[in-house]
Amino acid sequence: MNLHRDLLLLWAEQGALDPARLPEALRLAGAFPAADDWRRFADRLLLALAVLALSSGVIFFFAYNWEYLGHFSRFALAEGALILALFGVWRLGLERLSGKASLFAAALSLGALLALIGQTYQTGADPWELFAVWCALILPWAVLGRLPLLWLFWLALFNVALYLYLSYFNWQTFFFVNLCALALWEDAGRRFAEFRRGFAPRLVALAAAFFVTYGAVVYGVWGGSESVAFQKSDNALLIWAMWAAGCWYFYRYRARDFFMLALVAASFLPLATSALFRLLSESSWRHDEFTVFLLIGILVVGITLAVGLGLWHVHKRMAAEEQEKITENAA
Amino acid sequence: MKPQELWNILHAAGFTRQEAMPAISPRAPWYLEAILFLALWTGAALIVLAFVALAQDSAAANLFFGLLLAGLACWLFRARPGHFFLGQLAHAASLCGVGLIVLALFEEVRGTEAQLRFLLALAFLVFCAMNNFVQRLVAASAALLVIALLCQSYWKDSFLWLEWLEWLYAGCAFAFVLVWQMEMKTLRYPRHQLWRSVGYALALFLLVAMNVSFSLWAWTGSGGIPDVPPEPPRILLALRVLSGAALFWFTAWLLHRENVPFSSRPALMLLGVTLCVVLAGMEMPFVAVALLILVTGFAANAPVLLGIGVIMLLNACAQYYYWLEVNLLRKSVYLLLTGGVFLACRLVLLKTFSHAAVKEGEHE
C-alpha cells in the first residue's frame, strides 16, 4: 500500500495540509515515481523481460530436441549448466548478491544432473536417495554461501527426503526436525547478520507450527483415525502446549518477534474450534444441528475477537517498549 | 520513512498548516488481520450453516437477522473507522449478515440467472455501504465473479466456450486501466480507496481468469466437451489485440501525466517499446495484461500489484509452453528473437535517457 500517499490525503482531509498544494506535497513525499525511478524501472524491466525470453527460448529449444539428443549430449548440457553456475560463483564471489544467486542456480542445476543420472542409469534406487544425496552434496555450499534462501531450499529437500524415506507422514518427526532447524537458525542469527530476522525463519516456524497444530488437532482432540491408529499420540496436546508456551516466552521477551506470537495464536484458533466441535458433538445437543453450529460459530467469533484484542495489546506494548529502547539509546 | 519524518520534511517545505503532526491510529500488521479475518470467516460460515440446518422455511427470519447484522457492521465501520477491535467485530457481523441474506435469497429466488442478478445487486450494496477496504475488495471480487457467470450463462449455447471469457477479459483490462487512472487522480481521502479496492479486485480477477481460460482451452482441446472441434480456431485473438491496446493507452496516459510531449524522443522510444511488447503479446497470450498490471503497480506505488504482475508474467510464460497452436521449435525461435529485441530496446532506451539527462543538465 502507498502509505505516504494515504497519510498525505488523510492529513489534507483533516485540514493539516493545504489541499491546493497537495500534488506538490505528493511529489515531494515520493508518493509517485520520479523520472529517475522510471528510468531505472524501464531499464530493469526490459532486462528482466530479455532474460526471461532468452532463457525460456533456450529451454524450449532443448525441450523440442531432447528426445533426439544422445546420452552424452544430455549430460554435457546438464553439467555445462552446473559448471557455468559455479564459474559465476567463482568470478563474482560470495560477497555479492549475484554470486549468491549463481550459487543457488548451481544447487538447482546439481539436482537436475542427479535426476538425469537416475533417469539414465536405472539402478533401482529409491526416490528418497536422490533427495538425500542432493541434500548432502549441497550442504557445504549452503554453509559457505550463508544464503538464507539456499538454506530454506536445503531444509525443504531434507523434509522431502525424510518423507520419502519414512513412506508415511509422522507429524512428530517433522515437527521436531523443523523446530530444531528453527533453533539452529535463531542461534546462527546471533552470529551472522544474514540469518537475523527476515522471512526465512518465519517460514521455518510456520512449518513447525503447521505440524504441531496438525498433531494436536488430529491426534490430541480427535484421537487419530483407524488408518493411522498406530501413530496415536497421547502427548499431542502436551507437546503443543509446551511448544506454544516456549515460543511465546522466547519471542515475546527474548527475540521479540510479533509474527511468531501471531503464529501461536493462529495455531490456537483451529485447535479451539476442533475442541469445540468435539465437545458439542458428544454433548446432549449433538442431534440439534442448529444449536451446535450456532454455538460453535458464536464461540469461534468470540474467541477470535478475544485473541485478536489480546494480540493487539501485546503489539502496542511491544511497540512502546521498542520506542523506549530507541529513546534510551539516543539519550 | 516514518510518519514523523515525513511530516518534518513537509513542514520544512511549508506545506503544513500546523506545527504538530496529527495523531495517527496505530495499524495492526497485515498477517494479524489476515489470521483474524480467516477465523472470522470460519465463525461466520458456521453461523450461516446453523440457519441452513434449520429445517423450517425461515427465509424471512434469515433476511431479518442478516439485515440487522449487516446494518450493525455498516454502522461500526462508519462510526469508528480504523478502530482495530470494532473493525474485527464489524467484519464478523458483516460476514454473518451477508451470508444470511444470501441464504434467504437462494431460498426465495428461483432460477440461476435471477439469483446471479440479485447477488450482483447485493455485492453492489455491500460495496457502497461498508466503509472498509477489505469488505469492498471482497464485494468487488464477488461482483466480477458473478458478472463472469452471467456472461457464461448468456453465451452457453456457443460452441466456443472461451468466447465469453475472452471478451470479458479484454473488457476487464480496459476497466483496469480506467479504474487505476481514477485512483491515481483522486486526491480525496478515503475516496481513492474505493477505486483501489475495485482495481485490486480487477487484478485478481484477471489473474484467476487467465488460469481458468487456459484450463478451459486445455479441456476443449482434449475433447472433453462433445460437439467442440478438437483444435479450436485462433483463440483469444480479440483478447491479445484489445489487451495490447489497453497497455498502449495506459502508457500514453502515463506520458501525458508526467508532462512528457509525445513528439519527444523519450516518449517515442517508450511508445515504441510498448508496441514491441504488444506485438510480442500477439504470439503469447496474457503477456500484455501481465505487463499492464506490472507497470500500473509501479506507477501507483502498489507492491501487491507488482507481485500480481510478476506472477502473471511467469504464468504466461509457463502456459505458452503448452499452447499447441505452434510447435516448440517455433516458440523457442520466437522467444530468442523477442529477447534480442528487448535487449536492443534497453540499449536504445539507455542512450535516449542519458541523452535527455545531458540536455536537462545543459538547461540547468
Side-chain angles (χ1 to χ4, degrees):
Chain A
M1 290 271 189
N2 193 337
L3 289 176
H4 287 177
R5 182 156 163 251
D6 282 4
L7 264 179
L8 261 65
L9 292 181
L10 177 63
W11 286 337
E13 192 68 21
Q14 291 171 340
L17 282 184
D18 183 1
R21 300 186 68 194
L22 192 50
E24 278 180 72
L26 285 168
R27 290 213 179 270
L28 183 65
F32 293 114
D36 282 338
D37 298 322
W38 274 112
R39 281 176 206 138
R40 264 194 301 275
F41 176 72
D43 173 42
R44 285 176 189 171
L45 180 63
L46 284 170
L47 183 60
L49 285 174
V51 166
L52 183 64
L54 289 169
S55 53
S56 302
V58 167
I59 291 168
F60 282 28
F61 181 79
F62 284 118
Y64 180 78
N65 292 297
W66 191 253
E67 57 183 5
Y68 306 117
L69 292 174
H71 291 314
F72 284 113
S73 305
R74 292 181 189 185
F75 273 106
L77 275 172
E79 287 167 6
L82 178 61
I83 290 167
L84 198 65
L86 289 173
F87 178 78
V89 174
W90 172 70
R91 198 83 178 90
L92 297 166
L94 285 174
E95 293 76 29
R96 290 163 67 174
L97 187 60
S98 46
K100 291 180 192 263
S102 292
L103 185 66
F104 191 79
L108 293 177
S109 306
L110 182 62
L113 178 61
L114 291 172
L116 182 61
I117 292 170
Q119 185 191 49
T120 309
Y121 304 106
Q122 300 277 340
T123 59
D126 293 323
W128 70 267
E129 291 181 21
L130 165 69
F131 291 94
V133 168
W134 194 359
C135 261
L137 289 175
I138 66 171
L139 184 59
W141 293 353
V143 170
L144 285 169
R146 296 216 300 247
L147 180 60
L149 192 62
L150 185 54
W151 272 112
L152 266 184
F153 180 69
W154 184 91
L155 187 62
L157 282 181
F158 187 82
N159 276 275
V160 170
L162 193 59
Y163 174 70
L164 291 171
Y165 175 72
L166 292 172
S167 320
Y168 64 87
F169 177 65
N170 185 325
W171 71 271
Q172 293 108 314
T173 309
F174 289 99
F175 166 62
F176 283 114
V177 159
N178 287 285
L179 190 65
C180 290
L182 181 63
L184 288 169
W185 201 296
E186 291 294 344
D187 187 56
R190 290 189 302 162
R191 297 167 222 251
F192 307 109
E194 296 93 336
F195 295 102
R196 274 177 216 141
R197 294 289 75 86
F199 72 95
R202 291 177 175 183
L203 277 178
V204 180
L206 187 64
F210 171 77
F211 292 122
V212 76
T213 309
Y214 173 88
V217 168
V218 174
Y219 297 99
V221 172
W222 293 100
S225 66
E226 283 181 9
S227 61
V228 290
F230 65 94
Q231 291 181 55
K232 194 169 170 136
S233 168
D234 296 324
N235 303 323
L237 287 176
L238 181 63
I239 293 172
W240 182 89
M242 287 171 64
W243 164 78
C247 202
W248 187 272
Y249 172 76
F250 182 76
Y251 288 106
R252 172 67 183 93
Y253 300 107
R254 305 288 291 273
R256 302 181 61 78
D257 188 344
F258 184 71
F259 179 87
M260 304 300 196
L261 304 182
L263 205 55
V264 173
S267 172
F268 171 71
L269 288 170
L271 185 60
T273 308
S274 308
L276 283 170
F277 258 115
R278 181 82 195 260
L279 210 65
L280 286 168
S281 65
E282 290 174 355
S283 69
S284 54
W285 287 319
R286 64 183 179 275
H287 299 299
D288 184 357
E289 288 169 345
F290 172 75
T291 309
V292 167
F293 279 126
L294 188 67
L295 263 177
I296 293 175
I298 291 171
L299 285 170
V300 166
V301 168
I303 291 169
T304 305
L305 290 173
V307 165
L309 193 60
L311 276 176
W312 179 235
H313 281 302
V314 170
H315 181 251
K316 284 201 293 189
R317 187 78 202 114
M318 286 175 76
E321 286 166 5
E322 196 65 38
Q323 193 56 42
E324 277 171 28
K325 214 172 164 180
I326 292 170
T327 313
E328 277 171 21
N329 288 342
Chain B
M1 200 191 304
K2 294 203 164 79
Q4 187 62 56
E5 289 169 18
L6 178 62
W7 178 263
N8 293 342
I9 290 170
L10 292 169
H11 187 64
F15 286 100
T16 61
R17 283 175 166 175
Q18 60 195 54
E19 190 68 33
M21 185 186 81
I24 300 170
S25 314
R27 287 190 64 159
W30 66 268
Y31 47 82
L32 178 58
E33 296 207 19
I35 290 166
L36 296 179
F37 198 73
L38 278 171
L40 288 171
W41 264 102
T42 309
L46 287 167
I47 292 172
V48 172
L49 270 176
F51 285 88
V52 169
L54 208 57
Q56 317 158 27
D57 181 16
S58 55
N62 291 342
L63 189 63
F64 174 74
F65 285 113
L67 286 170
L68 196 66
L69 287 167
L72 171 67
C74 181
W75 176 73
L76 282 171
F77 280 132
R78 286 181 188 275
R80 297 293 299 272
H83 192 282
F84 178 73
F85 177 74
L86 293 179
Q88 297 302 320
L89 184 63
H91 276 307
S94 170
L95 292 169
C96 282
V98 172
L100 287 173
I101 294 171
V102 170
L103 190 61
L105 168 75
F106 276 89
E107 283 170 0
E108 285 302 303
V109 178
R110 301 293 168 197
T112 311
E113 278 193 36
Q115 287 173 339
L116 287 174
R117 288 197 189 104
F118 268 102
L119 278 175
L120 187 61
L122 180 63
F124 180 73
L125 279 170
V126 168
F127 184 89
C128 295
M130 301 295 177
N131 186 24
N132 179 270
F133 177 79
V134 173
Q135 292 282 324
R136 285 185 167 137
L137 175 63
V138 172
S141 303
L144 284 168
L145 179 63
V146 169
I147 290 169
L149 291 171
L150 275 170
C151 290
Q152 193 273 332
S153 68
Y154 177 74
W155 260 295
K156 65 177 177 248
D157 292 330
S158 168
F159 77 95
L160 288 171
W161 281 63
L162 289 171
E163 194 178 354
W164 61 274
L165 188 55
E166 182 182 4
W167 289 102
L168 178 67
Y169 202 90
C172 284
F174 276 99
F176 178 85
V177 172
L178 196 61
V179 164
W180 279 99
Q181 284 175 357
M182 294 305 299
E183 199 274 348
M184 286 191 272
K185 282 196 287 196
T186 305
L187 298 178
R188 289 295 304 271
Y189 184 93
R191 213 169 282 172
H192 70 296
Q193 289 189 346
L194 276 173
W195 294 110
R196 190 182 289 172
S197 57
V198 177
Y200 276 118
L202 280 166
L204 289 169
F205 177 79
L206 288 168
L207 174 62
V208 169
M210 171 188 186
N211 290 291
V212 166
S213 68
F214 180 72
S215 306
L216 278 177
W217 172 85
W219 190 30
T220 57
S222 65
I225 300 171
D227 301 327
V228 172
E231 286 182 9
R234 179 118 179 127
I235 48 168
L236 307 178
L237 183 62
L239 182 150
R240 299 176 211 212
V241 170
L242 290 173
S243 55
L247 177 62
F248 207 83
W249 172 30
F250 190 68
T251 308
W253 180 79
L254 278 175
L255 287 169
H256 174 72
R257 188 165 174 269
E258 299 296 324
N259 297 318
V260 179
F262 286 121
S263 55
S264 68
R265 214 168 143 188
L268 288 171
M269 186 57 221
L270 280 170
L271 289 171
V273 168
T274 308
L275 191 61
C276 287
V277 169
V278 168
L279 291 172
M282 295 306 293
E283 180 75 12
M284 289 175 66
F286 305 114
V287 160
V289 173
L291 280 168
L292 173 64
I293 292 176
L294 223 152
V295 171
T296 308
F298 183 77
N301 219 336
V304 174
L305 263 192
L306 270 172
I308 294 174
V310 169
I311 291 170
M312 280 187 74
L313 196 59
L314 295 173
N315 213 353
C317 208
Q319 285 183 6
Y320 186 52
Y321 184 86
Y322 293 101
W323 287 110
L324 297 178
E325 294 175 338
V326 293
N327 63 26
L328 270 177
L329 180 65
R330 185 174 145 175
K331 284 181 207 173
S332 69
V333 169
Y334 177 79
L335 281 168
L336 290 169
L337 284 173
T338 308
V341 166
F342 282 141
L343 277 177
C345 285
R346 179 177 174 253
L347 199 62
V348 174
L349 208 68
L350 282 172
K351 284 195 175 156
T352 308
F353 280 139
S354 61
H355 178 72
V358 163
K359 273 189 122 179
E360 275 173 30
E362 282 171 2
H363 280 140
E364 283 165 15

